[in-house]
């Protein structure tokens, strides 16, 4: 049996939605390039983690550029 939708007061709706706000992302400064990064992850700007290079960002950037060039050449 269909149940009629009960009246919802605006205050009650507001109280329920008081917990729906998105949380602010926590960011820390990269120890190498000082840019903001997500904690416990490799910095996406310089590829460093715990004081050493883990990801070669330059090679990645070159690959990206080559891909775009190939796309444009079509
Ligand atoms: Zn960095």
């Amino acid at each position: 049996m269909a149940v009629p939708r009960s009246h919802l007061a605006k205050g009650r709706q507001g109280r329920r939605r008081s917990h729906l706000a998105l949380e602010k992302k926590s960011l820390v400064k990269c120890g190498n390039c000082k840019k903001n990064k997500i904690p416990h992850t490799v910095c996406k700007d310089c590829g460093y983690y715990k004081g050493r290079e883990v990801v070669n960002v330059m090679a990645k950037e070159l690959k990206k550029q080559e891909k775009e060039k190939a796309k444009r050449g079509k």
Side-chain angles (χ1 to χ4, degrees):
M1 196 181 95
V3 178
R5 197 165 170 256
S6 59
H7 175 75
L8 189 65
K10 281 177 186 126
R12 198 167 159 192
Q13 176 183 283
R15 277 196 297 274
R16 186 181 70 236
R17 290 182 183 173
S18 70
H19 303 286
L20 297 183
L22 293 175
E23 241 175 78
K24 206 176 168 190
K25 260 188 190 170
S26 63
L27 292 170
V28 294
K29 292 254 184 297
C30 171
N32 188 54
C33 65
K34 314 288 183 224
K35 277 184 184 166
N36 284 335
K37 73 176 194 78
I38 301 163
H40 310 289
T41 57
V42 174
C43 175
K44 67 173 181 173
D45 288 300
C46 63
Y48 271 64
Y49 185 70
K50 281 195 166 177
R52 66 186 185 92
E53 194 178 353
V54 185
V55 179
N56 193 338
V57 179
M58 284 304 286
K60 231 177 174 179
E61 197 64 38
L62 276 172
K63 210 173 172 187
K64 206 175 171 185
Q65 279 174 9
E66 269 175 36
K67 216 174 176 183
E68 273 174 29
K69 226 184 240 172
K71 224 179 188 178
R72 257 183 267 135
K74 248 190 226 172

